[in-house]
Structures are given as structure tokens and as C-alpha cells.
Amino acid sequence: MSKFIFVTGGVVSGLGKGITAASLGRLLKARGLKVASQKLDPYINVDPGTMSPYQHGEVYVTEDGTETDLDLGHYERFIDEDLNKYSNLTTGKVFEKVLDKERKGEYLGHTVQYIPNVTNEIKNFIYKLSEITDADVVITEIGGTTGDIESQPFLEAIRQIGREVLGDALYIHIVLVPYLKASKEHKSKPAQHSCKELRGMGISPDIIILRSDEKILDESIFKKVALFCDVEEDCVISNVTLNSLYEAPLMLEEEGLANIVVRKLHLDAKEPDLHDWYDLVSRINNLKYEVRISLVGKYTLLHDAYLSVVEALNHAGFENETTVNINWVDSDTITEDNVDSILSNSDGIIVPGGFGNRGISGMILACKYARLNHIPYFGICLGMQIFTIEAARDILGLSDANSFEFDPTSKNLVIHFMPGQNDEINKGGTLRLGSYPCSIKDHDTTLYKCYQNELIHERHRHRYEFNNDYRSQFEKAGITISGTSVDNRLVEAIEIKEEPFFLGVQYHPEFKSRPNKAHPLFKKFICESLKRRLS
């Protein structure tokens, strides 16, 4: 049976519980252990799929098509293990399951209560991940902040698990230790109060991680927290803000986090092999070049809305010895009069995913600017649709070309994206989600040169498809359809072969990029952008 590690946070949100949990997973995997990760989110939405990116950042999609919290992206990038539908649970999903059982009469007339009905669903979810992965260690992050009313059922559930698997559960609590500039000292009182709050819920942390921007030099802080929070002194460790989030595993390794976990859970672990991670951090700290990539989107005020895209760009930069500087461009602000001033210094232009008609005209102008000025262009999901519309209007001469979503009343609808016809679509019946195969038949394309394979699998999250009525017109105009579904029914990728990199893909390659294994499309995009800058 798996060992269970629960990661909670206190004082404030945004402490980096996800990065800490992901880093610990990497350290345990480096010791030869099989690790599974999951996030329990206290919001009442069933999943983040219907949320505005401004509310919750990007929606991360797993191989099996589950729409999840963005922290799961950190888990996959750090641990390099594919997650699944048992990797993210929300209060809404718990209530949905409980109420469905109640309607079916499965509670046999009993009153439905938080304890045991709600907590049992949460526990079953955690145990199910252990069962289907056969992991040595399951790491579960509890979203929110200790003391929040929304988190209480999750804390009660993990408390019960600690009782049920005596000796095989461990609790890590991450707390803020603020620095007061006036007195020039760190203060541990908020951490003490947070641990008291957690203990009031019946959970005594085994390890306390002190989160701060500056290094805590006063050793008495660690001793004070250990004494007042009832943990061993070596189990109070530091987590400071770093230049790169990918330095976090090595910092926590130096702090002894994984060794403490192995000791307390009596894990049969080998000596850690972290040479690849040390090599990664060394590359990050010794980048030689720079490129400026304009990211044109509609949610640019919140950078987390494009978190996986940004990280994939960074990964590609690592492998090209290049720092990627992002020019954040709100597509709503682009007009024909200012497009040159906004994009003229771009070494590459990327248009990522999104929904709705706001900002579309600015994206089309950005795509046109990239094409006319031979700037590498990378369109992802919506970005491919933008490429399609722009090409239809300005290359094929179809001036009314649009998407059905953008102009449902148009009588001259010539390019639209029909709902996917696949059997496996999400519950609402509106999105194509998860991993699907893509066929690449033409070896003389950017797509094939990047993948070096005729069959690939990528993750999708979209509602509309390329209109096949216009395939032949596109191809005659020099737009290559370089990727399709295996049955050739759905267009997966289009490109202009004559350009070094001018590509649109219907899927989301950013979800499969890793810090020490950049996605081939992003790697090529940054390579060509760097060539442009150096030319």
C-alpha cells in the first residue's frame, strides 16, 4: 500500500505549495520511488473548465481529458509522470458525487452529512489514486489556507486517513514567515498561529516549511517554531524565493526535506540521482542569448492564464541556450495604426488558446504582421484558427472569412470551426478534450521535421474544427495541411512551408513540455526566433 504525504499551507495563499509538492515528488522519484500527485481544491465548481482565466489561471488538461488546476502542470513538469482524473478533486465534484448517490437511494434513507458522507468521498478519491497507480508515495496538496471554511472537509478527511493508515501518513505544513524591514527581523508568530489552527483540526504537522523571500539568518526562529509547534528541530526547514522555480528541488534537497520524509515514512529508498536536474539548473544559469517573443492574447493581465505556454517557451530557451523575454500584448489594444510599434521588435510571435470573440481582430492583425514581415509565428488552438482566418481573408481573398463563434449571424460565413464529431467529448458535449493521435504524412514540413515521426499524440481542449470545405483552396494557395486525425477527417495543423516557422496547431503542445525535455515545436520556434535575432 502507498504511503501518504499531505501538504497544507497557512497564513496566506500563494506560498508555493504546488512547487514544494512537485519538488518533493521529484526528489523522491530520484530515489527510485514511484510517485503519484494530486490536488484537492476547495472551490465549489465541479472543475475549473468553466472559470475565467482571470479567476484561476490556466486550465491544465491531462492525457485522459480531465480539466484541472494549474498546479497539476507543475507536478507533471517536475515529476515527469502523466496525471489522470484522480489527480484533481474539487468540493463541487464531491458534492456532485454525494448528491448523485443520495438521489439513487444509495444511502438507504440515512441523513446525508459532512461526516461521514462527504469525508468518505474525499478519502475514497485519495485511496483510488493510490490503487490505480500502485505508487510508493501519494503526495496530496490541499488547496486554500488553513482556517478557511471551505477547506475543513478536506482537512478532516486527511486527518481520518492518518488514523486509518497509522505510521504511513505524513503532514507537511508550509507557512509564511514575514520580514519586517522596520525592525529588520523575521517574525514566526503567524506560523505558530497557523500550526495551532491546524492542530485544532486534529492534524499535527510532521514537517514545517518556513516560506520567506529572504534567507532566515536567525537560527532561534527555527528552534522557536519547533518548540511551540511540537516538531523536531531538523523538521523545521527553510524555503526561500529563488531566481528560477526549477532550483527549488535542489534547495529543498540541501535542506534535507526528502531525507526527513524517507526517515519518517520508513521508505526503502536508494541514494538520490539528481545529476540531470543539476545539469538543468546549470544550463539555466549559463544562458548565452536572448530573444523577444510577443505573446498576443486576451488574458495577458494575469500571466498565470498562460502558465504552461510560458514554461514551454522557457524550456525551449534552456535547450537553445537562450533567455526568453516575453512581450505581453493585450490583443484588445492592437489596431492597424499601432501594430508596427507594438510588434516591430518581436523575434517571434505566439498566439495561444482562448475562447470568445473579444480581442480577435488584434490577433488577426498580429498574425498578418508576422506573415508579411517573415517573423516566426506559432498559433496554438485559437492561434491556429486565427492563422486560418487571416490566410483565408488575405491570401485566398475570402474577405468575409470568420469563425461561427465570432459571428453567428453572418450570411457570408466561409471559414468556421464545427463542433468535433468524436465520441469522446466532455460532459457538456462542447469540448474535445485529452490526448488524440495526429498523422503527419508530408516529411517536407515543419511539423514532421520537429517530431521526426508520422504519428504523434497531443492533448486537446477546443470546441471548433477547421471547415473541410475549404481544404483544397488553402492548399492551392500555399497553405499546407501538415497534420490531420488518423482518419483524415479533422485538420490538426497548418503551416506555410516556405517560412522557417509559420505554424498553427489545433492541440496544446505546451502541456507535454518538460524543463529538461523541451517540446520539439517550442524548441524549433525559439531556434528560428533566435536565428532571426542574430541575423
Side-chain angles (χ1 to χ4, degrees), residues 268-402:
D268 183 15
K270 65 179 184 180
E271 287 298 307
D273 181 4
L274 289 165
H275 74 275
D276 59 337
W277 212 261
Y278 279 105
D279 289 344
L280 167 66
V281 172
S282 177
R283 287 200 306 276
I284 294 172
N285 292 329
N286 292 281
L287 302 176
K288 298 178 181 179
Y289 312 106
E290 291 187 23
V291 293
R292 179 180 170 88
I293 302 298
S294 289
L295 190 154
V296 182
K298 59 175 71 178
Y299 316 116
T300 52
L301 290 178
L302 180 67
H303 295 178
D304 273 359
Y306 302 107
L307 180 61
S308 290
V309 171
V310 171
E311 291 309 314
L313 289 169
N314 288 330
H315 303 162
F318 302 158
E319 294 199 20
N320 283 285
E321 300 180 280
T322 300
T323 298
V324 177
N325 298 312
I326 295 179
N327 174 33
W328 293 92
V329 180
D330 182 345
S331 60
D332 265 336
T333 66
I334 301 177
T335 66
E336 291 185 359
D337 294 332
N338 67 16
V339 63
D340 182 71
S341 63
I342 292 175
L343 299 175
S344 60
N345 292 326
S346 305
D347 301 311
I349 295 173
I350 186 167
V351 178
F355 294 90
N357 62 0
R358 183 178 64 82
I360 295 303
S361 60
M363 295 179 191
I364 293 172
L365 286 171
C367 181
K368 181 178 180 178
Y369 186 87
R371 181 174 59 81
L372 295 181
N373 292 278
H374 306 286
I375 300 173
Y377 174 88
F378 193 5
I380 296 174
C381 195
L382 175 60
M384 175 186 137
Q385 299 175 14
I386 295 300
F387 175 8
T388 306
I389 295 168
E390 196 284 319
R393 291 180 180 181
D394 294 328
I395 299 178
L396 278 67
L398 304 172
S399 60
D400 292 325
N402 215 321

Side-chain angles (χ1 to χ4, degrees), residues 460-474:
H460 295 66
R461 184 178 184 251
H462 63 99
R463 180 173 290 115
Y464 294 88
E465 303 285 357
F466 184 95
N467 187 338
N468 287 323
D469 292 344
Y470 295 89
R471 273 203 199 188
S472 60
Q473 291 186 52
F474 269 75

